[in-house]
Amino acid sequence: MRHPRAALAAAWLATRALMLWLLAHDSLPLLGGGNVAREVWRLYHHWYGVLAHGAFPVHDTLWQYPPGAGPLLLSPGLLPGLTYFQAFVALTLATDAVVAVALTRAGTRPGRTLLGAAVWVGGLPLLLHVPLARYDVQVTALAVLSLLTSTRSTRVCGALAALGALVKVWPVLVLTGLPKGRATRSAWTSAAVTGTTALALLATLFDHPFAFLRQQGGRGVQIESFGGTALALARHAGWPGQVRYQYGALEYTGPYVSTVAHVSLALTVVALALVLLWRARARRWNEATPYDAALAAVLLFTVTSRVISPQYMIWLVGLAAVCLTSRHTTQRPVAALVLAATAVSAVVYPVLYGEVANATWTGCALMVVRNGLLGTAAVLSFTRVWRSTTAPRVSPAPHRVTPPAPAVPDRLLH
């Protein structure tokens, strides 16, 4: 096992050096013209100043995150001698390394594989330098560690999922695939206690902890979502809508946009119903089922979202990596689709984001391909989880014993 682990370490060092180089040259037009890094040194740093005074950005329409994001955005202040930007990137790289080590350790256990670690090490750089300038790596780390600890301590699993949900809501979905009974009760109880305690602490330390709800509720249809792709194609058919920067993203405005947004929300409810139906119907679990179900659930909620930012792919790469640590996973083809969608996402943003924003045929084609891959991955993932856990167990055919032939008297043989 030493050589594969050494190869993974070397690959991590090489790819992360490349990502840092790309981040240092972020001002190049094909790398975003400075927009990728600006998220940290301007927006995050601004929020840091507000949070340092004990309040959440109550009047900032760009603040759309649960209160757990506050301590995370304050964490770069723990590294003296560095600028906010440098400290943020350093902490993101450290978290990335923790995920890689955790997946490697999980992959070296009996019956496991290092393929999951390889997916994380090689899959994250497909997004170029974007992961280093967003805090989704930290959120994904909490979800990944929650899943990897589920076989050893469901209490720790639930606590980590709750902390992740306080930063960005989606990590709570990793608990949907835990086996029925004691494991599920223990994890959800731990999650409830941890989440309530942490939320109470944050509400004590900061003013306006629920300010994000107003901004989140006002969000529209981002150009990279499924609804945004439909509206982009509609522009070529004469739809008069326009793209506007609001709520921290490029969104469509115009006739029928609110209808598209409501359809997306309705589909999210349908996704929740499907997950609950699966829980009710599931009968069989193996070690990979919690991993597979988590990926399926997050995929369903991603494709039905009004917003599919490029950093959402970090979540999916991390969960796909966890699935592939187990030889029993059903998600290998899904992971391949996720990696393909991740590569296309890097072309969408930052390389050709102007094409997408202007809804050119090139931009529309990119979004159709990326979202087509994600949609296919979501359907395939859920279908494979459903079939592997709800299909009746096939019992082997009973062995039929042939009775011995009746004895024939000797006198009849002569």
Side-chain angles (χ1 to χ4, degrees), residues 22 50 57 113 173-174 206 280 309 315 323 354 406:
L22 293 171
V50 177
T113 171
L173 295 173
V174 304
F206 297 92
S309 298
W315 317 345
C323 291

Side-chain angles (χ1 to χ4, degrees), residues 1 35 187 229 233 255 279 287 322 333 342 366 370 392-393:
M1 285 293 180
N35 287 323
T229 302
L233 293 171
R279 284 285 303 181
E287 67 172 20
V322 176
T342 302
L366 282 171
R370 201 286 298 270
R393 190 183 299 275

